[in-house]
Amino acid sequence: MWFFGSKGASGFSSRSTAEEVTHGVDGTGLTAIVTGASSGIGVETARVLSLRGVHVVMAVRNTGSGAKVKEDIVKQVPGAKLDVMELDLSSMQSVRKFASEYKSAGLPLNLLINNAGIMACPFMLSKDNIELQFATNHLGHFLLTKLLLDTMKNTSRESKREGRIVNLSSEAHRFSYPEGVRFDKINDKSSYSSMRAYGQSKLCNVLHANELAKQLKEDGVNITANSLHPGAIMTNLGRYFNPYLAGAVGAVAKYILKSVPQGAATTCYVALNPQVAGVTGEYFADSNIAKPLPLVKDTELAKKVWDFSTKLTDSQSGESSS
């Protein structure tokens, strides 16, 4: 990793903004889904993609908030093409409903940006009885991607343009439980750690992208799959600290934390920049290829996560995993 603010091989750095890393890119004719597009870096991702001519479908839990964000973006980007659709990633039923409605609308899909997430919440189960961070951050996106993959394949074939799947992970993928992924203890409340559970879900985001990249390559499909760390963003960290720590962090925040436009940069870079054409199964940070935890290169683990996730999403219930 390079010093904060210094440029990597791409010519961009941690200081680069989403607009800067997509400067000159014409996204006209592309359609993207951005999950969690009504808050934080999801809003900026949707705005910058639409600024570049992409038709953005904002997949959000609260459509009221989504409609307000859409209105704001259209004011800033006249002619922006945006739609708001309801999606609750913690509910498999909601994911299936979203995918079904999307396909019924007959929309193409070039870019799938799995951006939404929750962080370090107390132990809770999803509607499908699966630990909430694993369910929302990993499993919901796993199912969404699976259900929309044929649409992406058709779009890529018909448009003769590369499709891109982008999973937002985090450097927290390095701080999962000691065993990496707790296949037999996903729902174990007694040993639950909010931060390690978050790390586990983010580790699965990388493993999911890697296995997907491998399968797409083997199938000869013109779709890439990559994961990334957006950076520590100014807006979304404070609430997880106690007041004393928050004060200390605030004092140095402007030197080490990113603004929202900087936080959305790597996502927009991986989704749109021509430098990333044909690049797949990689992990990015600061709009450059970065080195993840060596464990994520474990192809057997990636396949195990894939099979485990398939079983959970096929059964519609996580009761067997507790």
Side-chain angles (χ1 to χ4, degrees), residues 121-126 129-133 177 179 182-197 200 318-319 321-322:
C121 59
F123 181 84
M124 285 182 267
L125 293 178
S126 71
N129 293 315
I130 297 161
E131 188 274 309
L132 196 61
Q133 295 192 82
Y177 293 99
E179 60 270 49
R182 319 176 90 198
F183 296 101
D184 55 345
K185 288 185 180 177
I186 285 291
N187 289 351
D188 187 25
K189 188 177 179 180
S190 63
S191 60
Y192 177 79
S193 153
S194 62
M195 279 310 296
R196 286 192 183 276
Q200 174 179 251
E319 283 168 19
S321 71
S322 55

Side-chain angles (χ1 to χ4, degrees), residues 250-276:
V252 293
K254 60 174 181 269
Y255 301 108
I256 59 165
L257 299 187
K258 290 185 178 186
S259 66
V260 171
Q262 290 167 344
T266 306
T267 303
C268 292
Y269 174 76
V270 176
L272 276 189
N273 196 291
Q275 288 181 0
V276 191

Side-chain angles (χ1 to χ4, degrees), residues 54-306:
V54 178
H55 174 193
V56 179
V57 176
M58 302 165 62
V60 299
R61 201 172 51 201
N62 183 329
T63 52
S65 300
K68 285 194 188 90
V69 169
K70 175 186 169 176
E71 209 178 293
D72 289 345
I73 292 174
V74 172
K75 276 179 195 162
Q76 296 172 59
V77 186
K81 208 173 170 190
L82 294 140
D83 288 306
V84 178
M85 289 178 66
E86 187 178 345
L87 173 65
D88 178 356
L89 285 153
S90 70
S91 159
M92 291 190 216
Q93 186 186 355
S94 176
V95 174
R96 291 183 191 280
K97 184 171 177 277
F98 173 91
S100 170
E101 288 175 356
Y102 191 90
K103 287 189 264 195
S104 296
L107 289 166
L109 184 58
N110 306 88
L111 311 170
L112 174 58
I113 299 175
N114 293 320
N115 164 80
I118 55 170
M119 180 181 176
C121 59
F123 181 84
M124 285 182 267
L125 293 178
S126 71
K127 288 169 188 155
D128 304 295
N129 293 315
I130 297 161
E131 188 274 309
L132 196 61
Q133 295 192 82
F134 187 82
T136 306
N137 298 350
H138 165 63
L139 212 54
H141 282 126
F142 176 87
L143 179 59
L144 180 68
T145 305
K146 185 165 94 170
L147 295 174
L148 293 172
L149 204 52
D150 279 345
T151 304
M152 288 198 75
K153 287 177 181 178
N154 292 337
T155 303
S156 161
R157 197 165 44 241
E158 287 163 17
S159 67
K160 296 186 169 50
R161 292 175 85 166
E162 177 182 83
R164 295 186 184 182
I165 296 164
V166 183
N167 280 2
L168 270 80
S169 177
S170 165
E171 280 293 280
H173 81 274
R174 300 178 192 280
F175 307 108
S176 180
Y177 293 99
E179 60 270 49
V181 181
R182 319 176 90 198
F183 296 101
D184 55 345
K185 288 185 180 177
I186 285 291
N187 289 351
D188 187 25
K189 188 177 179 180
S190 63
S191 60
Y192 177 79
S193 153
S194 62
M195 279 310 296
R196 286 192 183 276
Y198 178 68
Q200 174 179 251
S201 71
K202 296 287 105 182
L203 174 63
C204 287
N205 292 151
V206 186
L207 291 165
H208 172 221
N210 288 0
E211 176 61 21
L212 191 54
K214 180 171 166 272
Q215 292 186 17
L216 291 166
K217 221 180 208 173
E218 285 168 2
D219 293 346
V221 178
N222 189 24
I223 300 172
T224 63
N226 292 292
S227 56
L228 63 90
H229 168 57
I233 322 295
M234 245 174 243
T235 57
N236 67 354
L237 285 182
R239 66 179 178 267
Y240 305 114
F241 297 133
N242 66 44
Y244 301 105
L245 188 54
V249 167
V252 293
K254 60 174 181 269
Y255 301 108
I256 59 165
L257 299 187
K258 290 185 178 186
S259 66
V260 171
Q262 290 167 344
T266 306
T267 303
C268 292
Y269 174 76
V270 176
L272 276 189
N273 196 291
Q275 288 181 0
V276 191
V279 177
T280 194
E282 293 288 356
Y283 174 78
F284 289 78
D286 299 337
S287 301
N288 281 275
I289 290 175
K291 280 189 179 165
L293 185 71
L295 184 66
V296 308
K297 297 295 182 190
D298 184 337
T299 52
E300 279 179 32
L301 179 62
K303 185 70 170 71
K304 196 175 174 185
V305 167
W306 185 279

